[in-house]
Amino acid sequence: MTRVIADISVSLDGFVTGPNAGPDNGLGDGGEGLHTWVFSDDPDDQRMLHEATDRSGAVVLGRTLFDVVDGPGGWNDEIGYGAAEVGKPSFIVVTSTAPESVRLSELDWTFVTTGLRDAVAVARERAQAASIAKDRDLDAVLMGGGAVVGSAVSAGLVDTLVLHLAPILLGSGTPLFTGAAPRTLKQQSALVTSNTTHLIYTLD
């Protein structure tokens, strides 16, 4: 079964980037600590990363994050989706206008200009098609940024929320949830490693 999974790293004080984030400073000031687990030698961290990347049939990201990963200092042959995993699912970008050109032209990019709900629907269709082609269940994954994940959860578009809780306080930056309606999630699992706490919740 294809699920819609929101998967993002977050600080203890609720930020997914530090302050002053931008195309040349994707994680913001001090934000590198959010992704320490991604580059860790801890076998549990490596397993979490591999399993998530391996199950990604399609990936949704916002335009701000796209500009970071497609920028000169972004993804390359060694570090891409899933860090060193360099996965190559379909990528769906939520944007008001499509870019004039794409640096990472070898990847499968689709630019959706009609809103997040439509982008998630496209990602689910792509993931379902990939599941049939590979004869195994693959997911539609929302990788960020914070506004995309937070809005999707609030809009009821997400089946599973995966948070990688980094043991850092950023003080300010890009918050994950702002003005969200109160709700209770069902905790599915919690895995503590030397670098983070991997939390998985299901949403009714």
Side-chain angles (χ1 to χ4, degrees), residues 122-204:
V122 170
R124 188 189 288 273
E125 290 173 359
R126 297 286 177 84
Q128 288 171 339
S131 297
I132 293 171
K134 296 186 177 182
D135 195 28
R136 60 190 180 92
D137 289 337
L138 297 174
D139 300 318
V141 178
L142 281 68
M143 68 173 287
V148 166
V149 170
S151 296
V153 170
S154 296
L157 302 176
V158 174
D159 300 313
T160 302
L161 174 64
V162 181
L163 298 179
H164 310 283
L165 188 62
I168 60 173
L169 299 172
L170 291 172
S172 63
T174 305
L176 179 54
F177 296 113
T178 56
R183 67 184 304 174
T184 300
L185 311 183
K186 181 179 180 180
Q187 184 162 299
Q188 181 176 331
S189 67
L191 173 64
V192 179
T193 73
S194 55
N195 301 286
T196 193
T197 300
H198 303 282
L199 300 167
I200 302 179
Y201 301 93
T202 54
L203 292 80
D204 296 327

Side-chain angles (χ1 to χ4, degrees), residues 38-190:
V38 173
F39 302 99
S40 164
D41 292 330
D42 187 301
D44 286 327
D45 287 332
Q46 292 180 338
R47 177 176 57 81
M48 289 290 295
L49 183 64
H50 173 74
E51 290 178 355
T53 305
D54 188 56
R55 282 187 60 92
S56 297
V59 175
V60 177
L61 60 159
R63 179 57 185 270
T64 299
L65 182 53
F66 167 78
D67 288 341
V68 171
V69 301
D70 195 56
W75 290 349
N76 54 43
D77 290 340
E78 296 179 354
I79 300 296
Y81 178 66
E85 299 278 336
V86 195
K88 294 185 178 180
S90 296
F91 294 98
I92 292 85
V93 180
V94 188
T95 181
S96 57
T97 56
E100 294 182 1
S101 62
V102 175
R103 178 180 66 86
L104 298 168
S105 57
E106 74 280 5
L107 298 180
D108 177 15
W109 296 103
T110 298
F111 298 93
V112 175
T113 60
T114 53
L116 178 58
R117 186 175 294 274
D118 287 346
V120 172
V122 170
R124 188 189 288 273
E125 290 173 359
R126 297 286 177 84
Q128 288 171 339
S131 297
I132 293 171
K134 296 186 177 182
D135 195 28
R136 60 190 180 92
D137 289 337
L138 297 174
D139 300 318
V141 178
L142 281 68
M143 68 173 287
V148 166
V149 170
S151 296
V153 170
S154 296
L157 302 176
V158 174
D159 300 313
T160 302
L161 174 64
V162 181
L163 298 179
H164 310 283
L165 188 62
I168 60 173
L169 299 172
L170 291 172
S172 63
T174 305
L176 179 54
F177 296 113
T178 56
R183 67 184 304 174
T184 300
L185 311 183
K186 181 179 180 180
Q187 184 162 299
Q188 181 176 331
S189 67

